[in-house]
Amino acid sequence: MTRSGRQNLVLGFLLAPVTLYLGVIFLGPLLIIAVFSILTPGLYGGVEWSFYHWNYGCLFGWADGIMEVFEPIYLMILGRSLLFAALTVLVCLALCYPVAFWVSRLPGRWRSFFLFLVTLPFFSSLIVRLYAWLLILKPSGLLNSAWLSVGVISEPLEILYTPAAVVLGMVYIMIPFMFLPLYASADTLDRSLVEASLDLGATRAQTFRKVIHPQTLPGILGGRMIVFTPAVCNFVVPDILGGAKGLMIGNLVEQQFLSARNWPFGSALSMVIMAVVLSVLVIFVSRGRRVADGGIA
Amino acid sequence: MTTRSGWLLLTLYALLFFGFIYLPLLVIVGHSFNANPVNMMIWDGFTLDWYRRLLGLGERATAPNNRAVDVESTDQMISALKHSLTVALFKTTISTLIGTATAIALARYRFRARRAYNAFLMMPMMMPMMMPDIVPGIGLLIFFVTIGIKLSLVTIVIGHCTVLISYVFIVVQARIAGLDPALEEASADLGASEWVTLRKVLLPQLAPGILGGALLAFVISMDDLVITYIIAGTDSTTLPVFIFGMIRRGVKPEINAIATLIILASVLIAGLGLWLRS
């Protein structure tokens, strides 16, 4: 289709800002991190422009033993982060799935109401919600006081600053991200298939496994994808609720950049995280595609 | 569900779930009125003191000496709030303008790079899914420091707009998709130039979408912690960053009051968003 010169001008005017902006401010920093990961750390922070592969060496095993030493703890922290993220995804899924199902079965007006009700708490600031959990999980907080008064425990439990607190915090933060895809999927459930299955003699468990679950699979996979990466790289939750035992890879990167001022190492860490996360995502997406192609009717 | 008891069980679970979600918010709101700021389980009586101190009408007028430190941090909190609002206003304006312009461009014009642009714009939004959100934050930090721009509120605005543009774009794009192009065609047929059609026909129709996008951008930018934390200068704290720091350093009782106010504000905004959509 041919356009007049005038139209081209308008088009250019409309597109120029975003091109410039995203090109420079978004892609630029990514490139910088990639480049910095192979540079030498400067003496007082910053970088020196010479090739230095030992940033990756510290992570993966080769080091000159003088300035840089291989610390397996970095890989351990990465592994721990992946584990926490996986746990978060599972718990979140288990928590949200029944409710998504329940809401999708409600009549129209109620459905909108409860959908709004689910998303409402998550409009308020992240930091406020995490602070609330700090109050609840403290030794003098709500949880311990309640259990102590009922008599379930005789001493306050140390929940705060344990991995459990971190996973709990992350699950709480991620609930809307898991709930909404699950709900969208549950909403498309074909009830006639469910009825047919029960009519043909299948038990409720079998019906769930073979009829309901496959149809909600896109929602499950979508939710998992959305929740996993932020869970791996989160540094706010471990910082507030985790303490030393809950240190995750996000905290490590933050430390390297803001405290230790070792930018190249922090960049290398970031590149590694990105690579890991992207590979997991690729696995998720290919699974999703297999489900879409060969799975359900 | 096939059985009545099955449905009841599920309903019970759902209600517990909702209780779980709302519990933290209720705890904060309740605690903000507690005269005992340290131990929230001990109710020392209802008080509005923390709110008064927040708004500057508190006991410090009568006992300036031993309240010196508290005054300071409350003032810092207010200034952090002001920073948050200022920054959010700028970010919202910029991202709404750019995002809307882009959405119009992609919807109303056909050009070869269109698909590429679509993907390009989705990227900042997919970013949290594809990479740690600290990565762009840190990249921006290096970027600014290397170029020599001092970290300040300006850098916060510049840095965070990227994601916001994508969000506004998505909202406005959805709205445009539902519009009838016949109106614009009629306007062109009647002799109006490109600009006039844009201004008098398209934009008014787009208004709810633009408002919705702006609202979304505002909410996200008020709440941003990660990027702001990394690229904020020393004297340009925003409210979430300030509260974050406070949690690490030592909590003041006013924090419950301001947290409650934040919750209240977010409820109002959510309600506004709901009203806009209907």
Side-chain angles (χ1 to χ4, degrees), chain B residues 186-224:
Chain B
S187 160
D189 286 343
L190 288 169
S193 73
E194 200 80 18
W195 280 116
V196 173
T197 305
L198 205 79
R199 249 180 344 144
K200 299 210 174 207
V201 181
L202 185 54
L203 286 182
Q205 286 183 72
L206 224 43
I210 299 180
L211 232 86
L215 200 63
L216 185 64
F218 183 75
V219 171
I220 296 179
S221 95
M222 279 297 285
D223 187 29
D224 178 58

Side-chain angles (χ1 to χ4, degrees), chain A residues 249-269:
Chain A
I249 199 82
N251 302 94
L252 199 59
V253 174
E254 181 222 345
Q255 278 175 3
Q256 291 302 319
F257 273 102
L258 299 179
S259 313
R261 312 211 80 204
N262 188 341
W263 289 6
F265 185 56
S267 304
L269 269 174

Side-chain angles (χ1 to χ4, degrees), chain A residues 19 21 117 172 229 239, chain B residues 21-22 110 117 129 158 248:
Chain A
T19 316
Y21 204 102
L117 214 62
Y172 187 75
T229 309
D239 198 275
Chain B
I21 306 184
Y22 278 90
R110 292 191 126 57
Y117 264 92
M129 259 170 66
I158 298 178
R248 281 169 146 185

